[in-house]
């Protein structure tokens, strides 16, 4: 017995002294390999009596298991040390410019990112700040606080992805719009509020014109004496800057959202020639966003007094804005990650958003 213990101690010392995986591997072969020391011990069992075999066999098996364990933990230790060494030594300078003549490898900005950046730029000129909220929301922020109670038909319209809750805690979901950021902001900040909230949104819908994940940008203004005229002026200026068209034909069509009253959908005028769309000419209307005055019930749900504070909100689909501005005809291209598509429709990182008016 003490023999086995001796052997084990010796091997463990040997393992603990190793510094590289190569060295470790060599010892492993020597000790545990087919012709290694432990295999030989096992073989020697055939020469002893049944009684002895029982006792020795057990101790050899234990020896083997202990040694294996020691090898495994040493292997992990060496690997960890190697990674730490690499992290210390290797530096990646992501600020280095791309080498000339190697432009195919240069990254491009995705049209969705570019559109979000451009919209943020325009609204920051109007003194808006950016707010964000999580993709996984609770029922209250996504629906209830927005005046969409449990039995409201609008809940069905939203084709919600619910997240299963085994322990009966509050039900979670993937947000169906960016409007919950309105609630989060009103609950956490004192007015005046002037925010836009870009982000991912999710609906259980997948065809040529719908993707289960898409992007919206929400806007919210809360102040004293805010009226629909402010909303119309702001949206007109925004659309003219975004589409780089002066005197853009734009109309506010009465609509319904549970969280705004009155509510409107905004259409802009366009002309279709063959497959190309010209914004701002012609007599066709295209719906681009929803908006309205924040419903008094929503203000109350966020502990604001509707007699003191009013405001407006709007929500737009980023994909639709990007498709219109950059002439992209199929929604699904956005998410396929085809590098050839991105090389064609993407933007160079060095060119910032350009939303100057073109000269007429
Ligand atoms: N949340 C609405 C939607 O997803 C859009 C909207 C936002 C409408 C804010 C009015 C005000 O359809």
């Amino acid at each position: 017995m003490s023999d086995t213990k001796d052997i084990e101690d010796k091997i463990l010392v040997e393992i603990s002294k190793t510094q590289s995986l190569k060295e470790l591997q060599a010892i492993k072969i020597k000790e545990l390999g087919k012709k290694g020391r432990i295999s030989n011990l096992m073989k020697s069992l055939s020469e002893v009596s049944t009684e002895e075999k029982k006792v020795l066999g057990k101790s050899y098996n234990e020896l083997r298991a202990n040694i294996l364990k020691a090898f495994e933990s040493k292997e992990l230790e060496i690997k960890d040390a190697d990674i730490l060494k690499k992290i210390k030594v290797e530096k990646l300078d992501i600020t280095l410019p791309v080498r000339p003549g190697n432009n195919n490898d240069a990254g491009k900005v995705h049209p969705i990112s570019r559109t979000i950046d451009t919209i943020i730029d325009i609204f920051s000129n109007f003194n808006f700040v950016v707010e964000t909220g999580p993709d996984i929301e609770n029922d209250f922020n996504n629906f209830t606080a927005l005046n969409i109670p449990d039995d409201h038909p609008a809940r069905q319209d939203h084709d919600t992805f619910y997240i299963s809750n085994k322990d009966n805690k509050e039900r979670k979901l993937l947000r169906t719009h960016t409007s919950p950021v309105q609630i989060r902001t009103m609950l956490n900040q004192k007015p005046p509020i002037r925010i836009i909230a870009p982000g991912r949104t999710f609906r259980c819908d997948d065809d040529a014109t719908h993707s289960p994940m898409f992007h919206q940008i929400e806007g919210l203004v809360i102040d004293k004496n805010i009226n629909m005229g402010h909303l119309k002026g702001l949206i007109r200026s925004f659309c003219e800057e975004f589409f780089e068209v002066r005197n853009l034909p734009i109309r506010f069509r009465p609509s319904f959202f549970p969280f705004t009253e009155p509510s409107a959908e905004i259409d802009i005028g366009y002309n279709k020639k063959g497959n190309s769309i010209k914004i701002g000419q012609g007599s066709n209307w295209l719906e681009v966003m929803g908006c309205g005055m924040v419903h008094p019930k929503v203000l109350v749900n966020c502990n604001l007094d509707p007699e003191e504070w009013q405001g407006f909100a709007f929500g737009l689909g980023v994909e639709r804005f990007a498709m219109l501005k950059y002439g992209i005809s199929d929604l699904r291209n956005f998410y396929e990650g085809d590098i050839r598509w991105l090389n064609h429709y993407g933007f160079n990182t060095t060119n910032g958003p350009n939303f100057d008016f073109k000269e007429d």
Side-chain angles (χ1 to χ4, degrees):
M1 280 299 255
S2 65
D3 263 7
T4 327
K5 187 82 196 104
D6 264 4
I7 297 173
E8 181 175 327
D9 287 347
K10 269 192 198 135
I11 302 180
L12 288 182
V13 169
E14 227 182 331
I15 293 176
S16 72
K17 280 189 191 152
T18 39
Q19 306 233 2
S20 73
L21 288 177
K22 209 171 157 193
E23 240 179 290
L24 193 67
Q25 190 59 23
I27 301 174
K28 201 169 178 180
I29 291 170
K30 189 172 79 172
E31 305 296 354
L32 287 171
K34 262 193 192 154
K35 291 185 180 149
R37 181 173 2 199
I38 294 179
S39 302
N40 286 339
L41 279 178
M42 295 286 188
K43 275 180 210 150
S44 71
L45 285 176
S46 61
E47 290 153 21
V48 299
S49 70
T50 326
E51 293 299 288
E52 272 181 306
K53 205 184 268 179
K54 264 190 193 159
V55 184
L56 279 176
K58 188 164 174 263
S59 73
Y60 291 167
N61 272 332
E62 272 169 15
L63 167 69
R64 193 166 179 277
N66 291 344
I67 301 292
L68 254 178
K69 226 199 251 157
F71 272 118
E72 274 167 19
S73 68
K74 186 68 186 182
E75 197 175 318
L76 271 184
E77 190 189 306
I78 295 178
K79 279 186 181 159
D80 279 354
D82 281 354
I83 290 173
L84 284 177
K85 212 160 86 193
K86 264 195 187 150
I87 291 175
K88 259 196 186 156
V89 178
E90 287 178 10
K91 276 208 186 95
L92 188 64
D93 186 351
I94 56 164
T95 64
L96 274 180
V98 179
R99 293 204 170 84
N102 200 12
N103 268 338
N104 280 342
D105 294 342
K108 289 269 175 128
V109 177
H110 194 283
I112 296 278
S113 309
R114 168 71 161 223
T115 305
I116 293 175
D117 286 348
T118 305
I119 295 175
I120 291 176
D121 263 315
I122 296 172
F123 277 103
S124 36
N125 287 341
F126 298 139
N127 274 341
F128 279 66
V129 293
V130 173
E131 279 296 335
T132 52
D135 293 351
I136 298 175
E137 262 297 359
N138 56 45
D139 227 86
F140 178 79
N141 289 338
N142 196 81
F143 290 126
T144 317
L146 287 159
N147 196 29
I148 317 176
D150 248 342
D151 50 1
H152 199 288
R155 287 221 180 191
Q156 270 85 63
D157 295 347
H158 279 219
D159 297 317
T160 311
F161 287 110
Y162 285 100
I163 293 166
S164 64
N165 61 337
K166 291 192 192 92
D167 35 7
N168 252 351
K169 283 200 195 119
E170 194 188 19
R171 190 163 62 157
K172 299 267 187 189
L173 45 82
L174 293 179
R175 64 176 174 188
T176 57
H177 49 178
T178 40
S179 302
V181 186
Q182 288 187 38
I183 304 300
R184 289 178 172 269
T185 310
M186 284 188 274
L187 285 173
N188 289 314
Q189 293 177 19
K190 285 210 168 73
I193 290 169
R194 241 174 138 80
I195 60 140
I196 53 165
R200 276 186 290 265
T201 46
F202 307 84
R203 291 186 200 175
C204 193
D205 218 349
D206 195 7
D207 59 35
T209 51
H210 295 92
S211 148
M213 190 280 298
F214 55 105
H215 299 78
Q216 288 192 337
I217 295 187
E218 193 81 8
L220 175 71
V221 171
I222 302 284
D223 208 329
K224 294 184 172 165
N225 305 318
I226 289 284
N227 61 48
M228 195 109 182
H230 297 125
L231 168 65
K232 289 181 79 172
L234 175 77
I235 296 299
R236 162 174 286 286
S237 305
F238 160 67
C239 287
E240 288 191 345
E241 288 223 22
F242 183 83
F243 291 112
E244 303 174 81
V245 174
R246 258 191 247 270
N247 299 320
L248 184 76
I250 186 166
R251 81 179 176 190
F252 287 69
R253 188 166 33 80
S255 183
F256 173 80
F257 299 103
F259 35 92
T260 46
E261 182 58 36
S263 304
E265 255 152 335
I266 299 164
D267 300 335
I268 56 174
Y270 75 99
N271 192 12
K272 202 169 177 193
K273 266 196 201 137
N275 261 345
S276 80
I277 283 184
K278 262 255 170 292
I279 302 285
Q281 302 169 1
S283 51
N284 301 315
W285 293 102
L286 194 74
E287 179 195 317
V288 292
M289 57 205 279
C291 66
M293 301 304 293
V294 178
H295 197 295
K297 278 196 186 157
V298 175
L299 294 171
V300 170
N301 290 341
C302 297
N303 310 318
L304 294 174
D305 178 3
E307 298 295 327
E308 190 181 1
W309 302 104
Q310 303 87 47
F312 59 76
F314 54 88
L316 63 86
V318 176
E319 280 78 356
R320 165 142 304 183
F321 271 71
M323 287 167 92
L324 287 175
K325 181 155 175 153
Y326 302 120
I328 296 166
S329 54
D330 191 337
L331 178 81
R332 285 175 288 202
N333 290 148
F334 283 124
Y335 317 110
E336 273 166 3
D338 185 334
I339 204 77
R340 293 162 304 176
W341 182 86
L342 193 59
N343 271 333
H344 181 77
Y345 284 104
F347 295 89
N348 288 331
T349 45
T350 43
N351 304 334
N354 168 21
F355 45 87
D356 287 338
F357 282 110
K358 283 200 183 85
E359 280 313 310
D360 308 17

